[in-house]
Amino acid sequence: MVEQISSADKRDTSNALFNRVKITEGLADPEKLWDVIIIGGGATGLGTALDAASRGYQTLLLEQIDFAKGTSSRSTKLAHGGVRYLAQGDISLVIEALHERGLMLKNAAHLVKNETFIIPNYEWWSGLYYTIGLSLYDLLAGKLGFGRAKHLSKKTVIKRIPTIQQKGLYGGVSYHDGQFDDSRLAINIAQTAIEQGATVLNYFKVTGLVKDARGKINGVITTDAETGKIYAVKGKTVINATGVFADEILQMDQPGEKAMLRPSQGIHLVVDKAFMPGEDALMIPKTSDGRVLFVVPWHDRLVIGTTDTPLKEHSLEPKALAEEVDFIIRTANQYLIKAPEHKDVLSMFAGLRPLAAPQDGSDKTKEISRSHKIIVADSGLITITGGKWTTYRKMAEDTVNKAIVVGKLTKQPVKTKSLLIHGSTPNVDRKNHLYVYGTDRDAVLALCKENKDWAQKLDPRAEFIGAEVIWAVRNEMARTLEDILARRVRILFLNARLAYDVAPKVAALIASELNHGADWELKQVTAFRALAKTYLLVPYPGKV
């Protein structure tokens, strides 16, 4: 059993520790030499900051917008080994991911859970086939396994998924995998990194790389998006962990360099849980485009996805394509008695995968390995790309190991295998939505005593309360309306219409905390409502 090391001895839930203004003071000394500078605040960058800081290295992370703004908040919400990769024969990736899945559950027990998935069988032979394959999947997890695969009778499948399409159903197979809240985990990793001594900042855009006379990178130029102040920071190593934006940083290093990445888009639809009540998730192992499709319970809703669409361009807000939406609805209709229609979609979101560009110029992104790659340029720039959310910790470990060599840092052992993530506790009541705060739950509720109005729901139609907004501003480095509603409280991803409606109320709460005026509130609400409409399939005018 892995011995767990708590970071509670360094934990301080006072405003100062996670206060952005206070954290920014860490950049005040222009002569400070950082051991590690990380560009990018997604899962990989944050994990790298945590790994480096926990080893004792002077660590700085800079994120141009908000933590997990891109791919890391738009996943299928699965901590998994990847059944599809097993079918493709990528055994090493599956073993690595299953091991990391087990560590995620141990170290972030408040956000990661053991989920049961059911594969319905509509061919007489598929029950045996998937039972054998998933039994191997379980064995590859070793001591960190989540449970054994089982063959299920037709009667049992119907009992557990009452809305399953019964015509032609022979039975099913159940297996276990992980399910989690991606951006909530990202925020908690950022907090843990800060507790371990890292300086972690959102809304700091890197605009240039600094090199010495030999052409070796020894720092970056970064701009505080809130104040406009420009900083030149020095570092022994610079790590490019920007995901689908990695090529942009590589271009800063070597203008004209051939693109290394070819992004692939995956979309998800969120619907009411009535379409598949119960606690089990559904896994469709083979769709018309060759991908697997999941229907996963998440925060008392259902997430359905994903797709794999090659793209030539990328953006901070990728848009779901009509053919992707139709594919998901059409596929769901084949397996559920009553599948959701366009009008039933509460929210839709798209995310991009930073895949290596196919050498043959093809669009076969489904076949590209999700294994991560670390590249060191002649300048010393370290780029980490590929991988998946589940393997973020291992990716970070490998990246820091490389930085030790490149920057000639004093070698220190990895600590993150047994380091508890901020908030981690196995004792969570998942029937109460505040479980996502883990050990911070009581502190969130304590805010209701500070101001009784914060105990009120943001809207009668949903469970979220005002205290969560205040907590996010004071302790989770949220700066904007989108930060709160998309990545802290998650309303945008759960119900975009509701997010649209509560925007003014939430903006007022943020403005009060950050001393912003009415103009700031209006701009925030206007921009956010325009964004919220893009998460809907059916036009929504909002409240008059």
Side-chain angles (χ1 to χ4, degrees), residues 434-446:
L434 294 176
Y435 78 84
V436 297
Y437 297 97
T439 56
D440 285 336
R441 179 178 179 272
D442 289 345
V444 175
L445 289 172

PDB file of all heavy atoms in Angstrom, residues 434-446:
ATOM      1  N   LEU A 434     -21.948  19.839  -2.403  1.00  0.00           N
ATOM      2  CA  LEU A 434     -20.761  20.479  -1.849  1.00  0.00           C
ATOM      3  C   LEU A 434     -19.627  19.491  -1.586  1.00  0.00           C
ATOM      4  O   LEU A 434     -18.544  19.894  -1.151  1.00  0.00           O
ATOM      5  CB  LEU A 434     -21.116  21.203  -0.540  1.00  0.00           C
ATOM      6  CG  LEU A 434     -22.062  22.401  -0.671  1.00  0.00           C
ATOM      7  CD1 LEU A 434     -22.406  22.952   0.709  1.00  0.00           C
ATOM      8  CD2 LEU A 434     -21.464  23.505  -1.539  1.00  0.00           C
ATOM      9  N   TYR A 435     -19.851  18.219  -1.888  1.00  0.00           N
ATOM     10  CA  TYR A 435     -18.799  17.219  -1.680  1.00  0.00           C
ATOM     11  C   TYR A 435     -17.533  17.552  -2.471  1.00  0.00           C
ATOM     12  O   TYR A 435     -16.427  17.146  -2.106  1.00  0.00           O
ATOM     13  CB  TYR A 435     -19.291  15.823  -2.049  1.00  0.00           C
ATOM     14  CG  TYR A 435     -19.329  15.519  -3.523  1.00  0.00           C
ATOM     15  CD1 TYR A 435     -18.186  15.076  -4.195  1.00  0.00           C
ATOM     16  CD2 TYR A 435     -20.500  15.666  -4.268  1.00  0.00           C
ATOM     17  CE1 TYR A 435     -18.207  14.804  -5.554  1.00  0.00           C
ATOM     18  CE2 TYR A 435     -20.528  15.396  -5.621  1.00  0.00           C
ATOM     19  CZ  TYR A 435     -19.387  14.969  -6.263  1.00  0.00           C
ATOM     20  OH  TYR A 435     -19.406  14.700  -7.610  1.00  0.00           O
ATOM     21  N   VAL A 436     -17.674  18.278  -3.559  1.00  0.00           N
ATOM     22  CA  VAL A 436     -16.510  18.573  -4.403  1.00  0.00           C
ATOM     23  C   VAL A 436     -15.468  19.424  -3.679  1.00  0.00           C
ATOM     24  O   VAL A 436     -14.313  19.496  -4.118  1.00  0.00           O
ATOM     25  CB  VAL A 436     -16.915  19.277  -5.719  1.00  0.00           C
ATOM     26  CG1 VAL A 436     -17.791  18.374  -6.570  1.00  0.00           C
ATOM     27  CG2 VAL A 436     -17.592  20.612  -5.460  1.00  0.00           C
ATOM     28  N   TYR A 437     -15.854  20.063  -2.582  1.00  0.00           N
ATOM     29  CA  TYR A 437     -14.903  20.881  -1.831  1.00  0.00           C
ATOM     30  C   TYR A 437     -14.100  20.061  -0.832  1.00  0.00           C
ATOM     31  O   TYR A 437     -13.142  20.576  -0.245  1.00  0.00           O
ATOM     32  CB  TYR A 437     -15.644  22.016  -1.119  1.00  0.00           C
ATOM     33  CG  TYR A 437     -16.304  22.970  -2.083  1.00  0.00           C
ATOM     34  CD1 TYR A 437     -17.661  22.853  -2.407  1.00  0.00           C
ATOM     35  CD2 TYR A 437     -15.567  23.963  -2.709  1.00  0.00           C
ATOM     36  CE1 TYR A 437     -18.263  23.708  -3.311  1.00  0.00           C
ATOM     37  CE2 TYR A 437     -16.157  24.832  -3.619  1.00  0.00           C
ATOM     38  CZ  TYR A 437     -17.511  24.694  -3.920  1.00  0.00           C
ATOM     39  OH  TYR A 437     -18.097  25.534  -4.831  1.00  0.00           O
ATOM     40  N   GLY A 438     -14.472  18.807  -0.627  1.00  0.00           N
ATOM     41  CA  GLY A 438     -13.715  17.943   0.261  1.00  0.00           C
ATOM     42  C   GLY A 438     -13.548  18.542   1.643  1.00  0.00           C
ATOM     43  O   GLY A 438     -14.526  18.943   2.287  1.00  0.00           O
ATOM     44  N   THR A 439     -12.302  18.650   2.100  1.00  0.00           N
ATOM     45  CA  THR A 439     -12.036  19.175   3.435  1.00  0.00           C
ATOM     46  C   THR A 439     -12.340  20.670   3.553  1.00  0.00           C
ATOM     47  O   THR A 439     -12.355  21.213   4.666  1.00  0.00           O
ATOM     48  CB  THR A 439     -10.564  18.934   3.826  1.00  0.00           C
ATOM     49  OG1 THR A 439      -9.709  19.524   2.842  1.00  0.00           O
ATOM     50  CG2 THR A 439     -10.261  17.449   3.936  1.00  0.00           C
ATOM     51  N   ASP A 440     -12.595  21.339   2.442  1.00  0.00           N
ATOM     52  CA  ASP A 440     -12.963  22.761   2.471  1.00  0.00           C
ATOM     53  C   ASP A 440     -14.470  22.969   2.644  1.00  0.00           C
ATOM     54  O   ASP A 440     -14.925  24.112   2.778  1.00  0.00           O
ATOM     55  CB  ASP A 440     -12.525  23.462   1.179  1.00  0.00           C
ATOM     56  CG  ASP A 440     -11.030  23.708   1.120  1.00  0.00           C
ATOM     57  OD1 ASP A 440     -10.402  23.768   2.185  1.00  0.00           O
ATOM     58  OD2 ASP A 440     -10.498  23.834  -0.002  1.00  0.00           O
ATOM     59  N   ARG A 441     -15.232  21.906   2.642  1.00  0.00           N
ATOM     60  CA  ARG A 441     -16.691  22.025   2.674  1.00  0.00           C
ATOM     61  C   ARG A 441     -17.177  22.848   3.862  1.00  0.00           C
ATOM     62  O   ARG A 441     -18.018  23.745   3.714  1.00  0.00           O
ATOM     63  CB  ARG A 441     -17.329  20.634   2.707  1.00  0.00           C
ATOM     64  CG  ARG A 441     -18.859  20.634   2.755  1.00  0.00           C
ATOM     65  CD  ARG A 441     -19.389  19.208   2.739  1.00  0.00           C
ATOM     66  NE  ARG A 441     -20.842  19.179   2.807  1.00  0.00           N
ATOM     67  CZ  ARG A 441     -21.534  19.172   3.945  1.00  0.00           C
ATOM     68  NH1 ARG A 441     -20.885  19.206   5.112  1.00  0.00           N
ATOM     69  NH2 ARG A 441     -22.853  19.144   3.937  1.00  0.00           N
ATOM     70  N   ASP A 442     -16.673  22.564   5.045  1.00  0.00           N
ATOM     71  CA  ASP A 442     -17.126  23.291   6.233  1.00  0.00           C
ATOM     72  C   ASP A 442     -16.756  24.768   6.146  1.00  0.00           C
ATOM     73  O   ASP A 442     -17.497  25.634   6.631  1.00  0.00           O
ATOM     74  CB  ASP A 442     -16.524  22.673   7.495  1.00  0.00           C
ATOM     75  CG  ASP A 442     -17.124  21.304   7.807  1.00  0.00           C
ATOM     76  OD1 ASP A 442     -18.178  20.974   7.234  1.00  0.00           O
ATOM     77  OD2 ASP A 442     -16.527  20.566   8.615  1.00  0.00           O
ATOM     78  N   ALA A 443     -15.608  25.065   5.557  1.00  0.00           N
ATOM     79  CA  ALA A 443     -15.194  26.460   5.409  1.00  0.00           C
ATOM     80  C   ALA A 443     -16.105  27.202   4.438  1.00  0.00           C
ATOM     81  O   ALA A 443     -16.397  28.391   4.629  1.00  0.00           O
ATOM     82  CB  ALA A 443     -13.745  26.526   4.932  1.00  0.00           C
ATOM     83  N   VAL A 444     -16.553  26.504   3.393  1.00  0.00           N
ATOM     84  CA  VAL A 444     -17.511  27.110   2.461  1.00  0.00           C
ATOM     85  C   VAL A 444     -18.816  27.420   3.198  1.00  0.00           C
ATOM     86  O   VAL A 444     -19.370  28.521   3.075  1.00  0.00           O
ATOM     87  CB  VAL A 444     -17.780  26.172   1.261  1.00  0.00           C
ATOM     88  CG1 VAL A 444     -18.879  26.758   0.371  1.00  0.00           C
ATOM     89  CG2 VAL A 444     -16.514  25.947   0.454  1.00  0.00           C
ATOM     90  N   LEU A 445     -19.290  26.457   3.977  1.00  0.00           N
ATOM     91  CA  LEU A 445     -20.538  26.657   4.721  1.00  0.00           C
ATOM     92  C   LEU A 445     -20.393  27.744   5.782  1.00  0.00           C
ATOM     93  O   LEU A 445     -21.360  28.439   6.109  1.00  0.00           O
ATOM     94  CB  LEU A 445     -20.972  25.348   5.373  1.00  0.00           C
ATOM     95  CG  LEU A 445     -21.481  24.272   4.410  1.00  0.00           C
ATOM     96  CD1 LEU A 445     -21.709  22.957   5.135  1.00  0.00           C
ATOM     97  CD2 LEU A 445     -22.771  24.733   3.728  1.00  0.00           C
ATOM     98  N   ALA A 446     -19.190  27.908   6.313  1.00  0.00           N
ATOM     99  CA  ALA A 446     -18.962  28.940   7.333  1.00  0.00           C
ATOM    100  C   ALA A 446     -19.204  30.337   6.774  1.00  0.00           C
ATOM    101  O   ALA A 446     -19.555  31.263   7.523  1.00  0.00           O
ATOM    102  CB  ALA A 446     -17.540  28.832   7.880  1.00  0.00           C
TER     103      ALA A 446
END
